[in-house]
Amino acid sequence: RPSALQGVFFYCIISSMKEPIPIFQTPCFIQEIDLDQVSFKDDVEFSPSFMSEIPTSLGKDELTEESYEYLHGIIGECIGQFSDDPFWIGQAWRNRYEKHDWQDPHIHSGAQWSFVIYKSVANSRTVFMNPARKVIMNQWGMYMDSIPMDFVPVIPPGHIIIFPSWIEHFAMSGNEGETIAGNVYLQEPPRGRA
């Protein structure tokens, strides 16, 4: 019986040399959600956070038990196809954007998956950056038009994007409204971890 690796090798040999075969694809999920089912225990004060100093509830917010279970179910339907192991939603927080606000490029270190819920922004302004972009730009600059350097989904309010936490991303200015961000851990998160 041929192994999966042999199957890939065989596919590479018989496939048309004119069509590239995408490799090293990264999974992410965009799902519609019921915003009425996502709420926090308390009304907390927002403070300037991150380099951009946007107002956030980072480190102060906690989902209600019902909201935790609802989001856990949505996220589980997506990432559950990779593992049956239990997972935890770590801290979740709210971000408030004015037209000029932005977020600098960052990852969510220590977590395995992260998410953004687009609550009241007109459309997402999140840019996900190709993890190999520096190498591609250095070695394959002449091919940059044929290899995506970033992923800029247009996601309306009432949707969640779930993505690997190691994907560097940022938020462009030009939007107003609120998003909810959070992290997912495949082992119980340490206290205080965002």
Side-chain angles (χ1 to χ4, degrees):
R1 177 176 165 185
S3 71
L5 183 59
Q6 289 170 327
V8 169
F9 180 71
F10 181 71
Y11 177 77
C12 289
I13 290 173
I14 64 166
S15 70
S16 168
M17 291 298 180
K18 296 178 192 170
E19 294 184 32
I21 301 165
I23 59 174
F24 306 125
Q25 296 181 21
T26 304
C28 78
F29 305 90
I30 299 172
Q31 300 290 313
E32 188 172 10
I33 63 167
D34 182 356
L35 290 173
D36 291 334
Q37 299 221 33
V38 182
S39 59
F40 292 86
K41 289 185 176 179
D42 298 309
D43 195 22
V44 299
E45 186 176 323
F46 283 60
S47 304
S49 300
F50 312 114
M51 182 186 296
S52 60
E53 296 189 342
I54 64 163
T56 78
S57 64
L58 182 66
K60 303 174 188 174
D61 256 339
E62 187 176 350
L63 292 166
T64 63
E65 286 184 34
E66 297 81 13
S67 294
Y68 183 96
E69 292 304 320
Y70 173 71
L71 286 177
H72 194 276
I74 297 284
I75 294 166
E77 288 175 6
C78 297
I79 70 171
Q81 62 188 286
F82 300 107
S83 171
D84 291 333
D85 292 340
F87 66 89
W88 291 262
I89 298 173
Q91 188 179 38
W93 65 94
R94 294 173 277 180
N95 303 296
R96 287 192 182 145
Y97 291 93
E98 298 294 334
K99 207 74 162 164
H100 62 279
D101 288 335
W102 51 277
Q103 281 265 23
D104 54 308
H106 63 282
I107 61 169
H108 293 230
S109 60
Q112 284 70 55
W113 294 89
S114 295
F115 62 87
V116 177
I117 297 170
Y118 299 97
K119 184 176 176 184
S120 60
V121 293
N123 278 303
S124 58
R125 302 283 292 167
T126 311
V127 177
F128 296 89
M129 303 163 79
N130 185 327
R133 73 188 178 288
K134 293 175 185 173
V135 175
I136 294 167
M137 291 166 75
N138 185 50
Q139 300 295 321
W140 267 26
M142 68 290 291
Y143 297 126
M144 281 176 45
D145 290 342
S146 58
I147 299 172
M149 292 292 106
D150 50 40
F151 172 56
V152 188
V154 178
I155 305 172
H159 287 76
I160 183 172
I161 185 166
I162 304 160
F163 56 94
S165 301
W166 48 265
I167 299 288
E168 194 171 10
H169 56 286
F170 64 94
M172 297 183 289
S173 62
N175 227 343
E176 294 178 291
E178 192 169 296
T179 64
I180 299 168
N183 292 320
V184 175
Y185 299 85
L186 299 184
Q187 57 186 6
E188 194 163 359
R191 289 200 181 288
R193 173 67 81 178

